[in-house]
Amino acid sequence: MLTVWTARSWWRRLLCLVTRQQPRVEGHCLQCGNCCREIVLCEHGKWIKTRRHFRRLMEKQPGYERMQIIGRDDDGRLLFSCSWLGNDGRCRCYQDRLPLCRNHPMPSLWLKGVDLPASCGYTLTGPSLTGLLRRRPLDQAGKPRFSDVLDREQQQAATSNETTQGTAETEEKT
């Protein structure tokens, strides 16, 4: 089943490929804890959609035991909440947090079709369709325009003529 996230992911990957640009993370953490209340997990490029998949993940990486299943999103992925989140919106054991938390948000989220909520201090950005349309056409990328080549050749010809005339005048005087 083609989901909105999957379609968005394919489109974004195509834009990065065509424009040769990478997604970026901008902004800063507001320390609100919202990112810890609704989490979708990914393992080796696959979203966690079943309890069995989640159990296998916990066997490999016991730190994920702190994640509690709270439901599903519209695309069928399991939603998690972190049990280490304090009432003040901060991690109760910040020094021992998961790599997922240390690296959040990663630019790769943008490639997976994720958009951060407007309330987040971070934004994920990447190449856009309008940016792509403003570029020169692909068949001309890296090639000079014909008019530029023509202008350069005319300048070279004029310079060459001046040099030739200067040489001829010098020869006549001698």
Side-chain angles (χ1 to χ4, degrees), residues 33-97:
N34 288 336
C35 57
C36 304
R37 290 186 183 94
E38 272 194 15
I39 304 165
V40 288
L41 297 176
C42 187
E43 180 191 33
H44 303 298
K46 294 186 179 184
W47 296 108
I48 306 285
K49 292 186 174 185
T50 65
R51 292 178 186 272
R52 189 169 115 203
H53 189 176
F54 181 54
R55 281 193 299 273
R56 286 195 320 257
L57 175 64
M58 287 190 300
E59 288 171 6
K60 294 177 198 170
Q61 299 179 24
Y64 281 95
E65 293 169 349
R66 68 189 75 172
M67 299 293 177
Q68 300 170 338
I69 299 171
I70 59 170
R72 291 187 180 277
D73 69 1
D74 293 339
D75 290 326
R77 293 177 297 244
L78 289 176
L79 285 173
F80 299 89
S81 180
C82 182
S83 62
W84 286 18
L85 182 63
N87 292 334
D88 62 353
R90 296 180 181 198
C91 185
R92 288 187 281 155
C93 193
Y94 187 78
Q95 295 304 319
D96 195 28
R97 65 195 189 281

